[in-house]
Amino acid sequence: MLQILPNGSILLASWLKEQGYSYELQQRYRKSEWLTSIGGGAMIRTGAKLSLAGAIYALQQHTGTKIHIGGRTALGMQGYAHYVELERKETLLFAAQGVKLPAWVRNNNWDTKPVLITTSFLPEDTGLVNFKEKEFNLLISGAARAMMECLYLTPGHFGLEEAMQLMEGLNLLKPGIVQDLLEQCRSVKVKRLFLHFAKKSGHAWFDQLQLDKIDLGVGKRSIVPKGVWIPDYEITLPKHLA
């Protein structure tokens, strides 16, 4: 089993039992120092380094938890944010409302700090891609979804200027994927900002969108106080982003 799983995998006692390894047998493995407990029914092969990728892999593959890497972190992993630090201090995780990180995730020191954002502004399975991080195959946000997750966090937890800079680099998005995400997105703010930034960036894929199928809601949205009014999307933004 240890030879089959990626090096650094987190092993959950409940999952091991499902594979035929009784709790008594697992205890023998710990006493023999093959496995080391990291708390809360989670273990790691003795001597292996704790990697958040290994934790996310276990959550996705062995517990079925609907959680994924998203936002700025996902864009950086895919090469869209060239100025993101090489060693990430934080990893943004997105999950539906009500999902919580188990204690064994919260109470360990990982190679990068997990930051969980719970929201249902997008369907949990739309716009995700498979990505190989170290030895782990993980589900992360594709570029279009990750950009929308950044905009969801604006302006309070993510800068509008950085969001615009990220959007400028997304010239290769597939219009079909963007269209699908925008039609399913439940945040009027995200949709209006996404379309404004995309149009301002001059991306060719923007002209292929069917804007009449995207519900942009009604009424004004003041993204920042005393901003410049943008009539096309009924939002106010700083002058240099208008």
Side-chain angles (χ1 to χ4, degrees):
M1 180 194 63
L2 291 174
Q3 290 175 344
I4 294 171
L5 290 172
N7 185 36
S9 293
I10 303 302
L11 303 164
L12 304 179
S14 56
W15 180 79
L16 285 171
K17 189 173 187 298
E18 291 175 0
Q19 310 309 307
Y21 299 84
S22 68
Y23 292 129
E24 292 78 11
L25 189 56
Q26 294 177 40
Q27 187 176 31
R28 283 169 52 193
Y29 290 159
R30 291 195 297 272
K31 286 183 178 179
S32 301
E33 298 185 350
W34 287 8
L35 299 178
T36 298
S37 173
I38 60 171
M43 293 161 280
I44 193 168
R45 188 171 185 171
T46 299
K49 292 183 178 180
L50 283 178
S51 165
L52 187 61
I56 298 167
Y57 177 84
L59 291 173
Q60 291 181 345
Q61 299 294 328
H62 298 162
T63 72
T65 303
K66 297 290 187 178
I67 191 170
H68 64 273
I69 298 174
R72 185 177 186 264
T73 309
L75 287 171
M77 291 168 68
Q78 296 168 85
Y80 290 104
H82 300 296
Y83 49 87
V84 175
E85 62 271 16
L86 293 177
E87 293 187 8
R88 299 192 303 272
K89 296 179 181 178
E90 294 184 342
T91 291
L92 295 181
L93 302 173
F94 285 78
Q97 292 171 337
V99 173
K100 296 181 179 179
L101 292 175
W104 62 266
V105 177
R106 300 194 308 270
N107 298 334
N108 276 291
N109 293 320
W110 305 93
D111 52 350
T112 172
K113 180 183 177 182
V115 177
L116 178 64
I117 294 103
T118 55
T119 173
S120 298
F121 85 98
L122 283 170
E124 57 189 18
D125 295 321
T126 304
L128 300 179
V129 298
N130 287 300
F131 187 88
K132 191 169 183 64
E133 171 77 349
K134 298 179 181 177
E135 298 185 41
F136 302 99
N137 289 313
L138 304 175
L139 275 178
I140 73 172
S141 291
R145 180 178 180 123
M147 185 70 245
M148 292 183 189
E149 289 167 341
C150 289
L151 293 172
Y152 177 79
L153 298 175
T154 60
H157 301 288
F158 194 86
L160 286 164
E161 182 139 357
E162 184 176 359
M164 181 64 204
Q165 291 172 350
L166 288 171
M167 176 63 84
E168 288 173 344
L170 301 181
N171 58 311
L172 297 178
L173 294 187
K174 295 181 179 180
I177 294 175
V178 174
Q179 182 78 35
D180 188 38
L181 284 165
L182 288 172
E183 288 185 22
Q184 296 190 63
C185 180
R186 301 183 184 98
S187 170
V188 169
K189 178 194 77 170
V190 167
K191 288 184 283 190
R192 293 185 187 184
L193 282 173
F194 188 95
L195 289 171
H196 171 65
F197 285 165
K199 183 178 180 180
K200 184 175 172 63
S201 298
H203 293 315
W205 52 260
F206 177 84
D207 296 328
Q208 299 180 52
L209 298 178
Q210 296 175 284
L211 300 181
D212 58 317
K213 293 185 177 181
I214 301 168
D215 182 7
L216 294 179
V218 295
K220 302 176 181 179
R221 296 293 191 278
S222 179
I223 309 299
V224 295
K226 298 180 181 180
V228 174
W229 173 246
I230 302 167
D232 285 354
Y233 299 106
E234 294 191 288
I235 53 177
T236 57
L237 285 175
K239 185 176 180 179
H240 64 287
L241 297 176

